[in-house]
Amino acid sequence: MRGSNVAVVGAGYVGLTTAACLTSLGHRVVCADVGQKKVDMLRRGEATIQEPGIAALIAEGLVSGRLEFVLGARAAVAEAGTVFLCVPTPMSAGGAADLRALEAVVTELRDVLSPGCVVVNKSTVPVGTAVRVGELLDRADVSVVSNPEFLREGSAVYDFLNPNRIVIGAAGHDLAGAERVAGLYEKIDAPVLVTDSASSEMIKYASNCYLATRLSFVNTIAELCEYLDADIDDVTTGMGYDERIGNSFLRPGPGWGGSCLPKDTVALLRTAESVGSEFPVLRAAIDANQRHQELVVDKVRKAVGGDLAGARIGLLGLTFKAGTDDLRDSPALAIAKLLAAEGADLAGYDPSVRGPVAGVTGQVRIVGTAYHAAHGAAAIVVLTEWPEFRALDWPRMAVRLGGRSVIDTRNHLDPLVLDRAGLSYQGIGRPVSRDGSRKPLPPLAA
């Protein structure tokens, strides 16, 4: 499809990536947000999310004149043939997706959409939402389509332009609208699945919930490895060679989190309950994730002598994954909250967190370097896999530490480097000797 007029409502993580990438595909995009400060920054070409490649695409779009940022949804849709809804759908108090923002935008735009327009749900929404949007619009001349995103933070631009699939769901069997949305992606070489909107919405939830279950599984296997003197790195390498399994989402960590998996797992559970169905596997995955985080805290407690009250702990990494500035449902902060509840004094360093964030990092004193986090600490806990942590001067860290223990929840560090610095290393699912150092591997048979 030749360059089309597209509106994107919402300039958050999904919306901004969608707007910038569609512009790079040759479309003319007007992106709207409700925040004047954010709109002003974007108009100046300043990216408001930390994502590789996004700043360059925004700059190119502004220079070409194909990308525009406006305040308010109504200002974006006047000439749009396709309108992408990329508004937040957070978890409500009861666990279901909160659709108030989405419904408010739909109601706001109902009378200003052009005849023949296609409205696209890009946000993650419960099954049946596309049909609900159609009912709210009450416009026979407007199509509604579900087009879920499958973006990984830290590689969102790459994922948008190089997807492993594009899923498009037509509400009410309106294939013409679905085909028009498919045309927006014609320059991308990827399988396109056109289905009904309910199946499209379920694909997104099923994908995320499967990944969460897989992560809970590998973290539990890592726990068993510690009991049985097996090495989780070797175990997952061996598993990954099996083509039925593959090697993605097989790295143990401090538990899963982020802006998607926690809310999507709970939302799908609530959906199952609403139709009288049970989902014991998914419920077990959620419970296992909580238990795994408690086990991490148990490691830290044991490392400082059995009592966290008053113990100074240095935290390396606060974001939910390296390469982002996203603190939403970060497992690092979940573990920090558990440590603080037992009275630990927490100092945290993250290269993308420059100061305290109200209501988010309250349990942690934010410091400017990893060495400040280590100062006087009884233990260091690595919670996010930032590359700079591997490159630290670990003998210098050892001098600053009050204790000797390093708990590496990402298996990110080199145990030999820490051993040479005189530090006691503990990973996740890695065999350790009684003093906490890495067990030497047995010699290879002749």
Side-chain angles (χ1 to χ4, degrees), residues 364-377:
V364 184
R365 175 168 46 88
I366 306 299
V367 296
T369 70
Y371 303 104
H372 286 99
H375 183 70

Side-chain angles (χ1 to χ4, degrees), residues 87-111:
V87 298
T89 55
M91 184 167 59
S92 67
D98 186 343
L99 300 180
R100 286 178 294 180
L102 178 68
E103 293 177 347
V105 166
V106 171
T107 302
E108 179 184 359
L109 297 180
R110 179 169 51 206
D111 299 328

